[in-house]
Amino acid sequence: MVKKVCETISTLIMILLLVVALAILVPMVMGMKELAVLSGSMEPTIPVGSIVYVKPMEAEQLEPGDVCTFKLSDGSTFVTHRVVSIDHENRTLVTQGDANDVPDGDLPFAQVVGKGVFHLPLLGFITMYAKTPIGILCIGGLLALVLLVNFIPAILNADDKKKEN
């Protein structure tokens, strides 16, 4: 009985890890960039803690209403907002977060990274926290749990054999 419970728990954990890994890796293999959502500027459409998958695309290909990701002028911060208007002549566009009352300023085409194709809620928390000491500890604990659950039946069987002798 204990062996079946341990096998079931181990299998469920492994399936969960595989599904999360595939959800994160498959779009990346397809050339998309993944970004964790840190703020609520696109809620409720894209909740905080989601992963947004961005397909690299030139700004000229975007249309008003599309969700796009762009780099701020510092070059290291990415923002995902909805395109409000496009000025092809001046090569700028205006974006706005769904939860924001005011649009962002003019954004040069050169700062556009691509179009937000889809998002997966909650998975962004995993990518954000996996790099922290607590996240590393949790991942290590999960791996230790999988190992422990796999060895518990063998330990119990060894104890039963000792009692028989």
Side-chain angles (χ1 to χ4, degrees):
M1 176 67 174
V2 172
K3 183 177 180 180
K4 285 191 181 240
V5 170
C6 290
E7 286 175 357
T8 303
I9 291 171
S10 178
T11 301
L12 289 174
I13 291 172
M14 294 307 285
I15 289 171
L16 177 69
L17 291 174
L18 182 63
V19 167
V20 169
L22 287 174
I24 292 172
L25 296 175
V26 169
M28 289 173 62
V29 170
M30 294 170 47
M32 293 184 203
K33 182 174 185 66
E34 67 160 46
L35 298 165
V37 177
L38 304 176
S39 77
S41 65
M42 284 298 290
E43 286 191 332
T45 310
I46 305 174
V48 173
S50 298
I51 288 182
V52 173
Y53 291 94
V54 180
K55 179 180 178 182
M57 185 178 289
E58 296 297 321
E60 292 87 356
Q61 297 173 288
L62 294 171
E63 297 178 10
D66 287 342
V67 172
C68 81
T69 297
F70 55 92
K71 284 184 190 179
L72 293 181
S73 54
D74 68 8
S76 64
T77 304
F78 293 91
V79 177
T80 300
H81 280 172
R82 192 170 306 280
V83 177
V84 175
S85 64
I86 301 175
D87 184 347
H88 289 282
E89 189 175 306
N90 291 321
R91 301 187 47 78
T92 60
L93 52 89
V94 175
T95 60
Q96 181 175 344
D98 289 358
N100 296 349
D101 294 332
V102 232
D104 308 322
D106 287 348
L107 177 72
F109 278 6
Q111 288 179 247
V112 172
V113 174
K115 179 178 180 178
V117 180
F118 68 98
H119 71 279
L120 296 174
L122 303 176
L123 287 183
F125 287 123
I126 293 172
T127 61
M128 285 187 286
Y129 294 116
K131 301 168 190 165
T132 67
I134 292 174
I136 293 168
L137 186 64
C138 288
I139 291 169
L142 189 59
L143 293 174
L145 178 64
V146 169
L147 289 172
L148 184 63
V149 165
N150 281 314
F151 287 116
I152 285 175
I155 294 167
L156 292 176
N157 285 341
D159 285 344
D160 289 343
K161 286 180 184 178
K162 281 183 184 179
K163 288 179 185 176
E164 289 175 4
N165 292 332

